[in-house]
Amino acid sequence: MDILSIFSKKKYTAALVGLGRIGFSLGLDEKREQPASHTMSFLDNKRIELSFGIDTDVQKADEWKKFMCAHKQEPSVFYSSKEFYESGAQPDIITVAVNEKSHLEECLLAIKAKPKLVILEKPVALNTIEAEKIRAAAEENGVPVMVNHERRFAADYQAAKSFIKNIGEIQSVRAEFCSGLRVYAKQFEEDGSYSLIHDGTHLVDIVSFLLDEELSSPVVTGVFRDADGIVRNLSAHFSTAKVSEISVNISGRSKFFAFGVDILGTEGRIVIGNGYAKFYETADSTLYTGFSSLSSKKVRFPKKTGYFSNMIQNAVDFLDGKAVLYSPLDSAISDLRTLEEIKEKL
């Protein structure tokens, strides 16, 4: 067996800081495509050994340890990141899956430990000032950081990105997110509990990813505020060198949860979102002689999009030297800057 073959089978150790929803419990949701949490994704990858779990919530940490032991895993558990880093542990990967308010502190601690890779939950931080501190620390310590904008890794969105070349010049893009969470109010900036940053980061990121364009200089319209002055709806409009009309619409007063992107080209269309993906190309019309219509293009998708497992595999491939990071820190900071520009218009 050659050296490359031996190297390719090397196991990487991982530490998970934050054992809450995205860190652990979403992996127990029977309705979600699994794996749906960092814990489950690590366990699903044969190249990863999840060796450490850290959470200040003792009950969550103990429940996680119990689950891991039931799956024949014996990780070490720590009840504070200070305790973990003082232990001298040196995992290859440190994942930071805490709430937005703690991103800066925990990510800086992770970077200072100098693992081979830090995986950071989105958004990067509460604001770009904090995000730039993370970038500076990453550069100073030579530690790469990947941000979990999960749709970049999903098979359906990857297919959409490949299909864009078939739809001609892009005429317009409409991206939309709907939930019941407030869109924005200044009093929630301290902990990031508003959808413009919490979920809006996914929306602007996937548009930027699909178009290979950064979004900037928004024109904000359709702002709706409730009786308390909290923003519940907005539309942000962008123009780029490639696309003259990009609209990002966020609702925070919907009685449902929805996420989707509609890309209209001169020769086709892409409509994709949570649970659906439809691609269209021009073809001879079956309705009108001498006209063309949009015809559905049959695309074979895998049973699972692999949005979380593909992210972890990208981390492994990166550490193997086989791939670049598909969701790098710089792109995620650009997303955050876009959201701040929207916020400034409010």
Side-chain angles (χ1 to χ4, degrees), residues 1 22 41 124 138 165 218 245 262 303 309 326 338 340:
M1 184 179 292
I22 198 66
S41 296
V124 178
K165 64 181 182 293
E245 172 58 21
D262 187 335
K303 292 183 178 180
S309 55
Y326 294 155
T338 300
E340 288 199 339

Side-chain angles (χ1 to χ4, degrees), residues 50-65:
L50 183 50
S51 304
F52 309 97
I54 302 96
D55 202 297
T56 56
D57 187 315
V58 174
Q59 182 177 350
K60 287 182 180 178
D62 289 347
E63 288 176 355
W64 180 83
K65 178 66 178 288

